[in-house]
Amino acid sequence: MPLPLPRHQRAHGRAELGFARTERGTVLRHLFHAAPLRVLFPTPEPDDLPLAALVNVGGGLAGGDSLEIEVSLAAGGGASLTTPAAEKVYRSLAEPTRLSTRLEVAEGATLEWLPQETILFDGARLERRMQARLAPGARLLAAEMLVFGRVARGERLGHGALFDSWRLWRGGRLHWADATDLSGDIAARLSAPFGFAGAEASALLLLAASVEEASAGRDLLRAAGHEATLARPGLLLARFLGPAGAVREALAGAIPVLRAGVLGLPARLPRLWTS
């Protein structure tokens, strides 16, 4: 009699980071992480922000897995968060994979949320929720990229589910909300000419800053060949859609433009994006 197949052991990872501003610059005041999430701190360039790398040591996420991330940045601080590689979401037979991120940025602080892309295997079921709470004078530069299938292997996302939600508060009031819901016949929706038009990937680049900074960022992106819009006063959005390689290249080109032209930081990507 054949032995039963082993059941997937669900992973429930969590990471908490708290940064504060001191005379020595921004320092880490609070850290907690639980497997499969680990937080590493690569040495940043001398002229750049402190860098934290969120690592999924499990190598990918399956149905029923969940990750929770909470980041707080105190007044006047500056920090950058990224990932060392693309996140993989495997096929699920039932339960979705759940990713939850909460960012809190205090007055005069600048936070970068720049993970590398998330790859949805065919049959993946992902629920991803982002909540960002910004004080009136805080700044946030954030990017998210989704790849619809293992493109390098010729696989396309044909079935499964995706719910991707953003909520951004400014000064305690809801400033912007957005959600993407892909379910049912995903293949048809991704190929629809007035939908995703056959795109292999999509990406969102967001800059929440002052009204003047957001407007300047839009002009800088347009001068660099990227379309961008001001969704609200002080909120700049740029969306990218197309072949996976082209979307990543466009996103990687737009981030340094905003870092240098608006945030006053070096015109470079996080080191892990190129290492």
Side-chain angles (χ1 to χ4, degrees):
M1 182 176 179
L3 295 175
L5 294 174
R7 295 185 63 184
H8 166 65
Q9 298 296 316
R10 296 172 183 168
H12 302 291
R14 183 174 178 83
E16 301 172 4
L17 297 95
F19 296 93
R21 174 75 179 178
T22 70
E23 294 180 355
R24 297 182 289 113
T26 301
V27 298
L28 184 69
R29 289 297 195 199
H30 172 72
L31 173 64
F32 171 84
H33 48 193
L37 268 180
R38 289 289 183 267
V39 185
L40 304 178
F41 297 92
T43 302
E45 299 294 338
D47 57 349
D48 218 328
L49 297 176
L51 177 64
L54 298 159
V55 183
N56 176 11
V57 298
L61 298 166
D65 291 348
S66 66
L67 299 180
E68 294 184 358
I69 300 166
E70 292 190 2
V71 181
S72 63
L73 180 60
S80 181
L81 286 90
T82 188
T83 58
E87 183 63 270
K88 298 181 288 293
V89 181
Y90 301 127
R91 178 174 64 98
S92 173
L93 298 177
E95 292 187 75
T97 299
R98 295 181 173 89
L99 304 179
S100 174
T101 303
R102 287 180 286 276
L103 310 176
E104 292 195 12
V105 191
E107 180 74 32
T110 298
L111 180 66
E112 293 184 320
W113 172 259
L114 302 174
Q116 298 193 59
E117 62 267 32
T118 297
I119 302 173
L120 301 176
F121 285 41
D122 189 27
R125 302 178 65 84
L126 174 63
E127 291 182 5
R128 187 169 68 173
R129 300 176 187 273
M130 164 66 79
Q131 299 183 47
R133 295 182 180 272
L134 279 61
R139 301 189 299 182
L140 172 66
L141 177 63
E144 295 275 13
M145 176 177 169
L146 287 169
V147 181
F148 306 122
R150 290 176 289 178
V151 175
R153 300 185 60 175
E155 177 189 276
R156 298 299 303 274
L157 182 65
H159 69 285
L162 168 67
F163 181 76
D164 195 15
S165 170
W166 274 81
R167 296 289 185 273
L168 188 147
W169 284 265
R170 171 72 83 175
R173 301 183 63 180
L174 184 63
H175 191 60
W176 179 68
D178 185 68
T180 299
D181 186 0
L182 279 178
S183 56
D185 191 351
I186 290 181
R189 297 184 67 182
L190 289 176
S191 62
F194 296 103
F196 287 81
E200 297 174 346
S202 69
L204 168 69
L205 179 60
L206 175 152
L207 173 68
S210 69
V211 173
E212 295 78 14
E213 289 171 327
S215 297
R218 179 188 59 181
D219 295 341
L220 288 168
L221 286 182
R222 288 180 172 176
H226 305 293
E227 287 300 321
T229 185
L230 296 174
R232 295 287 303 275
L235 181 62
L236 169 67
L237 300 176
R239 297 184 187 271
F240 306 88
L241 195 65
V247 169
R248 181 181 168 93
E249 181 179 356
L251 187 62
I255 290 171
V257 171
L258 295 180
R259 295 192 92 228
V262 178
L263 302 184
L265 297 170
R268 67 167 72 102
L269 294 167
R271 181 189 306 169
L272 296 177
W273 275 55
T274 56
S275 60

